[in-house]
Tab-separated table of all heavy atoms in Angstrom:
chain	number	residue	atom	x	y	z
B	514	MET	N	-6.766	-10.785	-3.071
B	514	MET	CA	-7.085	-10.465	-4.460
B	514	MET	C	-8.447	-9.788	-4.491
B	514	MET	O	-9.437	-10.369	-4.047
B	514	MET	CB	-7.143	-11.732	-5.329
B	514	MET	CG	-5.795	-12.394	-5.526
B	514	MET	SD	-5.868	-13.891	-6.504
B	514	MET	CE	-6.081	-13.234	-8.144
B	515	SER	N	-8.484	-8.577	-5.020
B	515	SER	CA	-9.784	-7.924	-5.156
B	515	SER	C	-9.934	-7.386	-6.575
B	515	SER	O	-8.959	-6.993	-7.200
B	515	SER	CB	-9.938	-6.794	-4.132
B	515	SER	OG	-8.901	-5.856	-4.227
B	516	SER	N	-11.179	-7.408	-7.031
B	516	SER	CA	-11.504	-6.978	-8.393
B	516	SER	C	-10.650	-7.694	-9.424
B	516	SER	O	-10.164	-7.097	-10.382
B	516	SER	CB	-11.334	-5.454	-8.542
B	516	SER	OG	-12.090	-4.783	-7.583
B	517	CYS	N	-10.431	-8.987	-9.200
B	517	CYS	CA	-9.743	-9.815	-10.183
B	517	CYS	C	-10.769	-10.753	-10.825
B	517	CYS	O	-11.953	-10.441	-10.813
B	517	CYS	CB	-8.606	-10.585	-9.515
B	517	CYS	SG	-7.312	-9.485	-8.869
B	518	ALA	N	-10.301	-11.882	-11.341
B	518	ALA	CA	-11.239	-12.741	-12.074
B	518	ALA	C	-11.292	-14.142	-11.505
B	518	ALA	O	-11.478	-15.111	-12.240
B	518	ALA	CB	-10.837	-12.763	-13.548
B	519	VAL	N	-11.141	-14.260	-10.200
B	519	VAL	CA	-11.195	-15.597	-9.595
B	519	VAL	C	-12.654	-15.949	-9.344
B	519	VAL	O	-13.390	-15.186	-8.721
B	519	VAL	CB	-10.421	-15.611	-8.252
B	519	VAL	CG1	-10.485	-16.993	-7.625
B	519	VAL	CG2	-8.985	-15.192	-8.481
B	520	SER	N	-13.058	-17.112	-9.836
B	520	SER	CA	-14.471	-17.471	-9.745
B	520	SER	C	-14.813	-18.040	-8.382
B	520	SER	O	-13.961	-18.557	-7.661
B	520	SER	CB	-14.806	-18.507	-10.808
B	520	SER	OG	-14.230	-19.749	-10.441
B	521	PHE	N	-16.082	-17.971	-8.075
B	521	PHE	CA	-16.569	-18.520	-6.809
B	521	PHE	C	-16.299	-20.023	-6.760
B	521	PHE	O	-15.913	-20.571	-5.724
B	521	PHE	CB	-18.062	-18.222	-6.680
B	521	PHE	CG	-18.677	-18.739	-5.430
B	521	PHE	CD1	-18.130	-18.443	-4.201
B	521	PHE	CD2	-19.807	-19.548	-5.469
B	521	PHE	CE1	-18.694	-18.927	-3.019
B	521	PHE	CE2	-20.380	-20.035	-4.302
B	521	PHE	CZ	-19.827	-19.732	-3.079
B	522	GLY	N	-16.471	-20.686	-7.893
B	522	GLY	CA	-16.214	-22.123	-7.955
B	522	GLY	C	-14.782	-22.454	-7.577
B	522	GLY	O	-14.513	-23.413	-6.837
B	523	ALA	N	-13.855	-21.667	-8.072
B	523	ALA	CA	-12.451	-21.917	-7.756
B	523	ALA	C	-12.186	-21.698	-6.281
B	523	ALA	O	-11.424	-22.430	-5.650
B	523	ALA	CB	-11.553	-21.007	-8.598
B	524	CYS	N	-12.831	-20.691	-5.707
B	524	CYS	CA	-12.650	-20.443	-4.275
B	524	CYS	C	-13.150	-21.624	-3.472
B	524	CYS	O	-12.514	-22.072	-2.511
B	524	CYS	CB	-13.408	-19.185	-3.850
B	524	CYS	SG	-12.779	-17.692	-4.597
B	525	LYS	N	-14.288	-22.135	-3.873
B	525	LYS	CA	-14.852	-23.289	-3.153
B	525	LYS	C	-13.920	-24.474	-3.256
B	525	LYS	O	-13.647	-25.163	-2.267
B	525	LYS	CB	-16.223	-23.643	-3.737
B	525	LYS	CG	-17.333	-22.730	-3.266
B	525	LYS	CD	-18.680	-23.392	-3.243
B	525	LYS	CE	-19.119	-23.791	-4.627
B	525	LYS	NZ	-20.516	-24.254	-4.632
Side-chain angles (χ1 to χ4, degrees):
Chain B
M514 292 179 75
S515 56
S516 305
C517 296
V519 180
S520 72
F521 180 52
C524 295
K525 282 208 296 188

